[in-house]
Amino acid sequence: MTVPHNSADVPVVIVGAGPVGVTAALLLARRGVRTVVLERHHGVYPLPRAVATDDEVRRILQAAGVEAEFAAIARPARGLRLLDARHRVLAEFPRTAQGAHGFPQTSMFDQPELERVLREALAGTPECELRGGVEVVGVEQDDDGPVRVTYRDDTGEHLLRADAVLGCDGANSLTREAIGADWEDLRFEERWTVVDVRTSLPVRCWEGVEQICDPRRPATFMRVGEDRYRWEFRLRDDAEPADEQVRELVAPWVDLTHGSDFEVLRRAQYTFRARIADRWRRGRVFLLGDAAHLTPPFIGQGLCAGLRDAHNLAWKLAAVLRQGADERLLDTYESERRPHARHLIRLAVAMGWAMTGGQDGAAALRRRALNAAVRIPGLTTAAARDLSPALTAGPLVCRRPHGAGRRLVGRICPQPWVTAAGPREHRTRLDTLLGDSFTVLTAEPPPPSLQAVADALGARTVLATDLGDDGRLAAWLRAGRADAVLLRPDRVVMDAVSRGAHAFTAMASWAPLLCTARTPPLPEAC
Ligand SMILES: O=C(O)/C=C/c1cccc(O)c1
């Protein structure tokens, strides 16, 4: 290979500056890891894409430092409704304005606005450098040594040598090809047209997402902003409806005979697919977001999954690159994220079937699918709305068969408002108080053995009753039958124990893996 004379070493190269790539860069920067983000386009991607996030994922935007800016562009949604072909409500799944994570359970937004927020944060972060208008042409690695990323711009070919590369380069990812990953097909493929509209005309609209369960013309409708709306229609015979036909399709919601202020901002045809990459990592090259998984949008989880990828990987990669934590920490990225993403794709496909009844329009099939969808746990009630499953057990998710608090392990702890003590006592969100480290959260003052674990991990120890929250954390520990939990930096419960504090020795065994380069052999299971 001829080495372009223009070459440089960087800790991490991120391929793709969509929301997943930029969020990953911001999360790494918080942990002192420098990144170069390479992006094909100069500006933000102009076509209609994600519009929704759940409360767990807003917490990730909070971790990336953009929560206030995101709040300014987000609109809480009241939930999800399934309507029949005549727009009669078949089922309604309400969402609350204050979910367990401290945010509305569903928030709507306009993706280009989110991208602008993220890009501004990136521009103000010295650890991150964005190079736009470049084409990545190669990602190569040997057994040892850095990953080599070759890209071209107007001035020629360049080489970056990186300790790690994150492929956030979307469905047609070059990075995915470079690591030899293939798609596993989760069997959903339909052509839809997506139309983003701005109008000042009155729109018959519920402040939530409407799924029209009409096998002849399934559709989705939602309000995205003050005067912004999104319609999605399944295409018939792949034929894109003409402008006039779009106006007919939206007629049940907006009467266009009342005025002409109806501007189609963006319109695009998409093939909604359900796919997951059969590997998400090779060596120091990782896949995130649409490069790793594709989902139909029917439960609003596409971008959420990508942001979860970034959050899961960022702290682990920073621990390896900055603290010399064991390389095997990185194996848990795929083993934790892949089953989680797969679960949510399956839910989205189930919803898609409820809406469309499959493409043959068979009514009996549709009824069965609809019945199945309304029983989807977590989808149907606000109280139980937690689409996000627990992470599967593994080295960093220590769920023992009969262990204390096993229901909490692998889940994310709630985020109430708490009081930050000190000379400038103030109210803040839990995550802001906890910062980026591990936390041992206890129901009672910790015994010395527990304190020892916390010290080994550089974790802070926090007594739930000292937090000045509304009692939610103590109640959560009680309900989960745990006296203490070990929270990872991404707030996933890694381990839980009841009073017999000797159980914390299991936690202690992980301290070297997580914190230093001197690593004991990994136990097979916790
Ligand atoms: O379940 C919810 O609250 C939201 C679902 C949703 C969001 C965005 C787009 C969709 O088709 C569904």
Side-chain angles (χ1 to χ4, degrees):
M1 189 189 96
T2 46
V3 179
H5 70 270
N6 212 342
S7 64
D9 296 314
V10 284
V12 176
V13 169
I14 298 179
V15 187
V20 175
V22 176
T23 302
L26 293 172
L27 292 171
L28 285 167
R30 270 184 70 139
R31 296 168 188 283
V33 179
R34 283 191 304 112
T35 56
V36 171
V37 186
L38 301 175
E39 168 58 46
R40 177 186 298 269
H41 302 282
H42 280 285
V44 300
Y45 190 73
L47 290 179
R49 292 193 294 166
V51 278
T53 169
D54 62 28
D55 49 337
E56 181 190 310
V57 169
R58 268 189 81 159
R59 219 167 150 178
I60 297 173
L61 294 173
Q62 179 193 344
V66 296
E67 170 43 30
E69 294 79 359
F70 183 71
I73 61 163
R75 186 179 184 91
R78 284 181 50 193
L80 184 66
R81 268 185 181 168
L82 305 188
L83 309 183
D84 70 8
R86 292 168 59 191
H87 289 218
R88 291 172 304 197
V89 178
L90 295 168
E92 180 173 317
F93 312 133
R95 311 289 178 229
T96 69
Q98 271 295 319
H101 299 288
F103 297 107
Q105 285 179 311
T106 300
S107 304
M108 311 306 294
F109 62 93
D110 187 38
Q111 179 162 336
E113 284 189 347
L114 169 64
E115 294 201 19
R116 255 189 301 280
V117 160
L118 289 167
R119 292 272 180 109
E120 275 168 30
L122 197 77
T125 305
E127 292 87 352
C128 307
E129 184 193 338
L130 173 63
R131 298 187 190 170
V134 309
E135 189 192 1
V136 174
V137 292
V139 177
E140 297 162 301
Q141 63 185 327
D142 309 319
D143 289 344
D144 300 315
V147 188
R148 296 181 305 280
V149 179
T150 316
Y151 69 92
R152 289 195 200 116
D153 63 13
D154 296 344
T155 65
E157 193 156 287
H158 308 263
L159 174 72
L160 291 174
R161 287 178 297 261
D163 295 328
V165 170
L166 311 192
C168 307
D169 45 349
N172 300 318
S173 167
L174 173 130
T175 319
R176 192 179 57 247
E177 243 170 61
I179 69 166
D182 283 324
W183 283 129
E184 181 191 342
D185 190 351
L186 300 179
R187 295 209 295 279
F188 187 92
E189 187 158 325
E190 292 186 352
R191 293 287 291 165
W192 284 60
T193 187
V194 180
V195 189
D196 280 351
V197 165
R198 189 206 56 75
T199 180
S200 58
L201 296 174
V203 176
R204 184 201 63 68
C205 138
W206 179 63
E207 288 287 337
V209 179
E210 293 182 340
Q211 306 287 25
I212 313 303
C213 304
D214 175 0
R216 286 174 308 115
R217 179 67 93 179
T220 300
F221 166 71
M222 66 204 90
R223 186 175 191 168
V224 178
E226 194 50 37
D227 58 355
R228 301 281 183 91
Y229 304 88
R230 154 81 56 97
W231 278 273
E232 300 172 354
F233 300 101
R234 194 177 79 195
L235 294 175
R236 286 190 189 147
D237 311 321
D238 280 3
E240 177 72 21
D243 283 358
E244 203 39 54
Q245 207 185 345
V246 168
R247 297 167 86 85
E248 279 166 30
L249 288 170
V250 304
W253 291 273
V254 54
D255 185 351
L256 292 171
T257 58
H258 276 164
S260 58
D261 183 26
F262 185 85
E263 185 190 356
V264 174
L265 297 173
R266 294 180 286 260
R267 189 168 157 178
Q269 265 193 35
Y270 286 105
T271 304
F272 292 165
R273 293 194 168 96
R275 290 181 172 180
I276 196 156
D278 61 359
R279 62 180 311 150
W280 290 31
R281 173 191 177 202
R282 188 182 288 276
R284 286 289 187 86
V285 183
F286 302 85
L287 302 180
L288 294 82
D290 286 2
H293 41 75
L294 299 175
T295 180
F298 308 125
I299 57 170
Q301 283 290 318
L303 177 61
C304 291
L307 295 180
R308 286 190 181 101
D309 298 341
H311 201 216
N312 185 290
L313 182 57
W315 72 270
K316 297 171 182 173
L317 188 56
V320 170
L321 297 182
R322 301 264 306 168
Q323 295 166 281
D326 191 281
E327 191 80 15
R328 286 166 294 179
L329 198 54
L330 301 176
D331 294 341
T332 65
Y333 167 62
E334 178 176 338
S335 65
E336 291 178 359
R337 283 296 308 138
R338 195 164 181 272
H340 189 282
R342 189 193 183 89
H343 174 90
L344 288 173
I345 296 170
R346 292 246 185 249
L347 289 190
V349 169
M351 176 60 80
W353 276 83
M355 293 166 65
T356 64
Q359 285 173 334
D360 59 5
L365 190 57
R366 186 168 69 88
R367 265 197 307 277
R368 275 213 305 280
L370 191 57
N371 284 338
V374 298
R375 284 198 300 272
I376 292 171
L379 185 67
T380 45
T381 62
R385 203 232 179 197
D386 194 0
L387 289 176
S388 180
L391 297 183
T392 41
L396 301 176
V397 178
C398 304
R399 193 181 300 111
R400 301 176 193 84
H402 304 290
R406 63 184 297 277
R407 271 187 294 154
L408 303 184
V409 174
R411 294 203 165 271
I412 295 177
C413 79
Q415 180 180 224
W417 284 85
V418 296
T419 300
R424 289 180 55 246
E425 187 176 290
H426 62 282
R427 300 290 285 166
T428 187
R429 293 183 190 274
L430 177 72
D431 292 356
T432 310
L433 180 86
L434 297 184
D436 293 330
S437 64
F438 282 83
T439 301
V440 176
L441 179 69
T442 67
E444 288 175 16
S449 57
L450 182 48
Q451 191 59 56
V453 175
D455 293 346
L457 282 171
R460 51 191 304 163
T461 310
V462 175
L463 188 58
T465 47
D466 277 355
L467 283 169
D469 69 340
D470 50 7
R472 204 184 312 172
L473 286 168
W476 173 76
L477 286 171
R478 255 194 324 277
R481 295 173 202 274
D483 290 312
V485 290
L486 173 61
L487 302 177
R488 311 185 328 188
D490 57 2
R491 314 297 178 226
V492 170
V493 178
M494 176 166 155
D495 207 345
V497 290
S498 59
R499 227 158 292 259
H502 61 275
F504 271 103
T505 53
M507 290 186 187
S509 71
W510 292 104
L513 172 74
L514 292 163
C515 296
T516 79
R518 288 171 287 111
T519 304
L522 273 177
E524 283 299 307
C526 316

